[in-house]
Amino acid sequence: MEYSERILQIMQSKGITPYRLAKETGMTESLFSVWKTNPSSKIYAENLVKVADYLGCSVDYLLGRTNNPEVNR
């Protein structure tokens, strides 16, 4: 599973709209449309960190390095 698919899956499970996530992370809403049509599209590391922080999961989870979404601090 691509990171974009994990992001969209978490957003759906938490009832977070692309508009809300984009507005609160400073990303563009159109990025989510790109992810739906091309899940393997690239993302800047700083945006990946912003999304992970906002969604309350780890970057490793979004990247598929673990199946545990918990953040280890």
Side-chain angles (χ1 to χ4, degrees), residues 23-39:
K23 182 177 179 184
E24 295 187 18
T25 60
M27 299 169 65
T28 62
E29 191 176 357
S30 64
L31 184 57
F32 301 96
S33 297
V34 171
W35 288 346
K36 286 181 182 179
T37 58
N38 184 10

Side-chain angles (χ1 to χ4, degrees), residues 1-63:
M1 179 182 295
E2 298 288 339
Y3 70 87
S4 57
E5 293 169 313
R6 287 188 181 227
I7 291 170
L8 295 171
Q9 184 180 50
I10 294 170
M11 287 173 57
Q12 184 178 16
S13 72
K14 293 186 174 195
I16 298 170
T17 64
Y19 173 79
R20 181 174 154 201
L21 182 60
K23 182 177 179 184
E24 295 187 18
T25 60
M27 299 169 65
T28 62
E29 191 176 357
S30 64
L31 184 57
F32 301 96
S33 297
V34 171
W35 288 346
K36 286 181 182 179
T37 58
N38 184 10
S40 62
S41 61
K42 303 297 178 199
I43 184 173
Y44 290 109
E46 67 183 53
N47 286 342
L48 192 61
V49 171
K50 285 180 189 179
V51 170
D53 287 346
Y54 183 80
L55 295 176
C57 65
S58 69
V59 171
D60 281 342
Y61 175 74
L62 294 180
L63 292 174

